[in-house]
Amino acid sequence: MAKLTFAPRAATKGIWDNLPHELPYILFKFIDAQLDQDLEMDYLQIFDLSVRDIEGQKVQHIIHRQEQPERRTEYTLGGIENPVDLTVWIVDEGIHAQIMLPEEY
């Protein structure tokens, strides 16, 4: 089986309409960090985004997970202008990687 590269990259209209514009780039950076560590990657990367309140500030909480092999990493990011509550998928489709909302699959 060919190694997944998650490149080239594209985003759906649903992503641009619903996510703060810096978030797609940040989510791909999380994938790049795992690729740089030579970790085994599932073709489907799942990001569960939620808004958290820390000391009166709204922050973006992200759970990044995959099923095969099972892995889960959590991040909390300040400085995101409009944090969101959404699930986002990044799918390596072989010829390119697409970031999308699950309902767009």
Side-chain angles (χ1 to χ4, degrees):
M1 180 161 132
K3 185 174 179 178
L4 299 174
T5 62
F6 291 90
R9 297 168 174 180
T12 63
K13 183 176 182 337
I15 291 298
W16 293 121
D17 289 349
N18 293 286
L19 255 64
H21 288 303
E22 67 268 30
L23 268 180
Y25 303 105
I26 292 169
L27 300 181
F28 272 115
K29 282 187 179 231
F30 293 153
I31 288 175
D32 290 340
Q34 292 186 2
L35 289 169
D36 289 347
Q37 294 174 45
D38 207 28
L39 296 176
E40 186 177 347
M41 303 295 287
D42 193 341
Y43 78 98
L44 174 62
Q45 299 293 305
I46 303 163
F47 295 88
D48 297 311
L49 311 175
S50 60
V51 180
R52 297 249 173 113
D53 187 296
I54 297 180
E55 298 178 7
Q57 298 292 316
K58 300 284 187 211
V59 297
Q60 186 69 68
H61 184 73
I62 302 168
I63 298 172
H64 175 195
R65 59 190 171 92
Q66 68 176 37
E67 294 180 355
Q68 294 296 323
E70 191 172 330
R71 185 168 48 251
R72 174 188 165 113
T73 309
E74 293 191 37
Y75 308 91
T76 301
L77 305 175
I80 303 297
E81 191 170 326
N82 295 304
V84 294
D85 291 303
L86 278 175
T87 296
V88 173
W89 289 356
I90 297 180
V91 181
D92 187 315
E93 298 177 330
I95 57 170
H96 68 277
Q98 179 109 313
I99 183 169
M100 67 184 70
L101 302 177
E103 57 268 25
E104 295 178 297
Y105 188 70

